[in-house]
Amino acid sequence: MAQSGALFYGDNLDVLRIYVADESVDLVYLDPPFNSNASYNVLFAERDGSRSAAQVKAFGDTWQWDQGAVSTYEEVVEAGGQVSQAMRAFRTLLGPSNMLAYLSMMAPRLVELRRAMRPTAAIYLHCDPTASHYLKLLMDAVFGPENFRNDIIWKRKAGRGETNAAAIRFGVTADNLLFYAKSKETPFQRQYRENNPDYIASKFTHKDPDGRRYRRDNLTSPSHRPNLAYEYKGYSPPAKGWAVSRERMEEMEDEGRLYFPSDKSHRIQRKRYLDELKGETVDSLWDDIPPINSQAAERLGYPTQKPEALLERIIEASSQAGDVVLDPFCGCGTAIAVSERLDRRWIGIDVTFLATHLIKNRLTEAFGDAAADVEVIGEPTTKAEAEELAREDPFQFEVWALSKVDARNSGTGKGPDGGIDGRLTFHEKLGGKTREAIISVKSGQAGVQHVRDLRGVIEREGAELGVLISMKEPTRPMRAEAAEAGNYLSGSEGVGTWGEHPRIQLLTIQELLNGKKIDKPPTVGRLPLDGTGRRAEKRRRATTEPLFPHGDADHGRAVLKRP
């Protein structure tokens, strides 16, 4: 499992430039974060280079026309070429706006993605109508307008109109997928979907003596072909000739694929059998893939999660087994999970530990313990690196620390958290009572009062365990206070063995880096039935072929590195 993919934490522009080699990727899917609900006017408001509360509210720290955006814009413009010309045109049209900041962010990433793509590779950019027209112009500049394949419309929800009573537009129900090829050699596998039942009922109205249903289709050549204007068994040819040669006509008759009307003034027709029908050809309007609803089994609670069926169609249309799929904004990892299931190799990049931790959990849930071997390249591997992360981004440090004990963060990093940074649920037996550990993370100085506070929180929450993660070694008073909390006794559900687990546990960052985990009872029991009478087991795919032929000597991992 670990050799079938590479997961990176960090800015995708840096990761692409440092790790991903030229012409090494077969398919790119990207769904850049974009605030579709932001006021359209906010996107085009001019900025003076300073940050404002309104900007932060609209786009976090991502799409702001500030000094960072100015530097990125200038770097793209100074590089020259079609992309430079496009960006200068956007500056003239849009002015120094948040939309220009967004396009300035996207431009160098698209250039790097094109460099990483093989000559036969394809790219799908997922966006919404707010920016799709600008992104198409930018994609034209990067890939060439001749390599544009489709502007796919994905109908992601049923039309209900704008819910705001003051709405002044039609409801938005669809996203755009801009599909480009790297070159004219880029292959494409046609996709099919289920046929409309009304179409089947109205067209396949005939049956052979054995009950095999078919419809009749003409055998007329679409263009004038005098060499195919032959008489066949007394039936005159169409004015433009038959669609097949005499030899093929004879073969079709032997196969029972011809219908001969009793009146020879009518034409011979071809039989098209229902059981050979692949389905309806998928075109550029995708209205057959619903979004993730609240009851969907694959729902993870990630706000921009896309359905697996959507990525499955893309991956099957533009790649083959063994190909490398790259998602530089991988979010909750739908493209990665589907690539793994379809026997593709993959590269995932995200700038948050929220995403990379969620992806690891998702892969483990889908493919078993083999997925636990997937490393997040770019995360801290030493205490010094952890301290640096804590200084640069305390919230990302907190999420990373929680990921080391397989816990989920419980907040957004803003505002009071009630003494709870993360939660870890566990069971003593499958299907048994849900139990909980409350986790508190301290990157600075931790003291005995933090242990007392954690004791109060687990009592308030009715949790079984409390865990304090600290950068520094716990003091003697902290250990004494933790010991005063006593032990949690497992085994009450009649499984496994009775065991004692410290009710308050103190872990250091160094211990986490060394692999230490929370002391809790292991889950005991058999896997639940999968509905067929068989025990449901995690699917794992073994692979002996490394993701890339040459590992990175600095990391000892099988990852792409730019020459």
Side-chain angles (χ1 to χ4, degrees), residues 376-391:
V376 180
I377 302 164
E379 71 175 4
T381 57
T382 66
K383 183 180 177 182
E385 292 175 350
E387 290 173 336
E388 181 181 0
L389 177 62
R391 287 191 298 269

Side-chain angles (χ1 to χ4, degrees), residues 231-238 242 259-268:
E231 184 181 279
Y232 190 77
K233 295 200 169 182
Y235 291 87
S236 299
W242 299 107
Y259 169 75
F260 295 93
S262 56
D263 185 350
K264 291 193 174 183
S265 64
H266 295 100
R267 307 290 185 208
I268 301 172

Side-chain angles (χ1 to χ4, degrees), residues 141-301:
V142 174
F143 294 94
E146 71 277 7
N147 289 316
F148 169 70
R149 291 283 178 90
N150 285 109
D151 183 355
I152 298 164
I153 305 300
W154 173 46
K155 186 178 180 182
R156 54 181 170 80
K157 66 178 182 179
R160 295 187 299 273
E162 293 283 3
T163 55
N164 188 339
I168 56 172
R169 63 174 185 175
F170 296 105
V172 178
T173 63
D175 285 354
N176 299 71
L177 287 157
L178 300 177
F179 170 26
Y180 279 75
K182 177 75 176 284
S183 69
K184 63 181 180 180
E185 284 78 29
T186 300
F188 176 76
Q189 288 77 46
R190 187 171 298 281
Q191 299 296 295
Y192 298 89
R193 63 184 188 181
E194 289 187 9
N195 281 290
N196 187 317
D198 293 338
Y199 168 78
I200 299 297
S202 64
K203 297 296 184 182
F204 289 84
T205 56
H206 307 285
K207 291 183 179 180
D208 277 344
D210 60 2
R212 195 178 181 193
R213 290 178 63 181
Y214 67 90
R215 71 178 178 89
R216 296 171 186 168
D217 198 2
N218 74 70
L219 271 170
T220 300
S221 173
S223 58
H224 189 65
R225 303 174 71 179
N227 60 315
L228 296 182
Y230 56 87
E231 184 181 279
Y232 190 77
K233 295 200 169 182
Y235 291 87
S236 299
K240 294 183 178 180
W242 299 107
V244 297
S245 66
R246 181 182 292 276
E247 292 76 12
R248 178 55 187 150
M249 186 79 84
E250 292 172 348
E251 290 176 357
M252 292 175 67
E253 182 181 5
D254 292 340
E255 295 167 357
R257 295 182 178 275
L258 296 180
Y259 169 75
F260 295 93
S262 56
D263 185 350
K264 291 193 174 183
S265 64
H266 295 100
R267 307 290 185 208
I268 301 172
Q269 292 180 291
R270 182 201 310 260
K271 291 181 181 180
R272 296 197 181 275
Y273 288 98
L274 177 59
D275 57 15
E276 296 177 344
L277 191 64
K278 289 184 176 180
E280 180 181 322
T281 301
V282 174
D283 295 315
S284 61
L285 173 60
W286 295 2
D287 57 0
D288 60 324
I289 300 177
I292 304 291
N293 62 51
S294 60
Q295 305 302 316
E298 62 184 272
R299 180 180 174 85
L300 300 173

Side-chain angles (χ1 to χ4, degrees), residues 371-437:
D373 296 334
V374 175
E375 289 188 80
V376 180
I377 302 164
E379 71 175 4
T381 57
T382 66
K383 183 180 177 182
E385 292 175 350
E387 290 173 336
E388 181 181 0
L389 177 62
R391 287 191 298 269
E392 293 180 351
D393 194 332
F395 180 59
Q396 288 298 325
F397 166 78
E398 178 183 295
V399 175
W400 168 76
L402 292 169
S403 74
K404 301 302 287 184
V405 294
D406 302 319
R408 294 275 184 99
N409 74 299
S410 58
T412 62
K414 301 175 182 179
D417 56 18
I420 304 173
D421 294 323
R423 298 176 185 267
L424 173 64
T425 57
F426 62 95
H427 299 79
E428 291 189 21
K429 71 174 184 178
L430 291 175
K433 178 183 177 181
T434 299
R435 302 171 189 273
E436 189 171 55

Side-chain angles (χ1 to χ4, degrees), residues 53 57 114 211 256 272 286 296 324 385 390 397 421 441 446 454 467 504:
K57 182 178 180 181
R114 185 184 185 281
R272 296 197 181 275
W286 295 2
V324 176
E385 292 175 350
F397 166 78
D421 294 323
V441 181
L454 182 57
V467 182
I504 296 292

Side-chain angles (χ1 to χ4, degrees), residues 117-128:
M117 292 165 60
R118 300 189 201 276
T120 55
I123 181 170
Y124 292 76
L125 194 162
H126 196 139
C127 54
D128 74 3

